[in-house]
Amino acid sequence: MASSKAAGRLLYQFDLATRWSAHESLTAVARFRQFQTSALTHLADKEEAEQQILISYLPKSLTESEVDAALKAIYEEMKGQPKINLGQLKNKFFENPDYASTSPAVVISRAKELLQQQQKS
């Protein structure tokens, strides 16, 4: 059986990839921990196995350099528009289903940096 820390990482990855609501994520974590600390370890193992199966079907998260490259390509594609803002860039990025499991926080920070660089040049 996985440790509580490993289970937390697993659920965090699943949460990012599936865009679970905070309530759903906390419920899954609570259920897993309850199973793990009680005599119901077989249920904890079952929960973990189900999550591993679901995660295996999700697209892999992009690295920062891959996010940068994708954002630059999107920016170049949108360059003809009068003013490109952070929301437009982020929304266009997430239109691609292959990018669904990428952390929105990473995309936003990298998009901000790209926009700042473009304004300076």
Side-chain angles (χ1 to χ4, degrees), residues 7-33 47 51:
R9 277 195 310 270
L10 178 71
L11 288 169
Y12 177 73
Q13 289 172 338
F14 189 71
D15 177 42
L16 287 177
T18 61
R19 308 279 196 275
W20 274 12
S21 70
H23 174 71
E24 290 168 320
S25 297
L26 291 173
T27 301
V29 170
R31 186 173 58 234
F32 181 84
R33 288 191 178 140
E47 285 284 322
Q51 290 163 3

Side-chain angles (χ1 to χ4, degrees), residues 5-121:
K5 191 174 189 179
R9 277 195 310 270
L10 178 71
L11 288 169
Y12 177 73
Q13 289 172 338
F14 189 71
D15 177 42
L16 287 177
T18 61
R19 308 279 196 275
W20 274 12
S21 70
H23 174 71
E24 290 168 320
S25 297
L26 291 173
T27 301
V29 170
R31 186 173 58 234
F32 181 84
R33 288 191 178 140
Q34 182 181 20
F35 292 157
Q36 194 176 32
T37 57
S38 69
L40 304 173
T41 55
H42 66 287
L43 292 176
D45 292 342
K46 180 182 173 211
E47 285 284 322
E48 184 178 9
E50 287 175 2
Q51 290 163 3
Q52 287 289 358
I53 290 168
L54 291 172
I55 287 171
S56 72
Y57 285 97
L58 298 171
K60 299 226 184 304
S61 216
L62 299 179
T63 64
E64 280 193 15
S65 60
E66 292 170 325
V67 170
D68 287 343
L71 286 170
K72 283 178 187 171
I74 293 168
Y75 184 86
E76 290 301 319
E77 181 182 307
M78 297 174 72
K79 217 172 189 175
Q81 295 181 8
K83 182 164 170 96
I84 302 169
N85 66 37
L86 179 63
Q88 292 170 320
L89 201 53
K90 178 184 71 88
N91 291 340
K92 189 79 171 162
F93 179 90
F94 282 112
E95 284 178 6
N96 186 333
D98 293 335
Y99 303 160
S101 64
T102 304
S103 168
V106 170
V107 174
I108 290 169
S109 71
R110 304 310 294 167
K112 279 181 185 177
E113 191 174 312
L114 173 64
L115 290 172
Q116 288 172 352
Q117 288 173 356
Q118 295 303 321
Q119 287 174 352
K120 288 178 183 177
S121 43

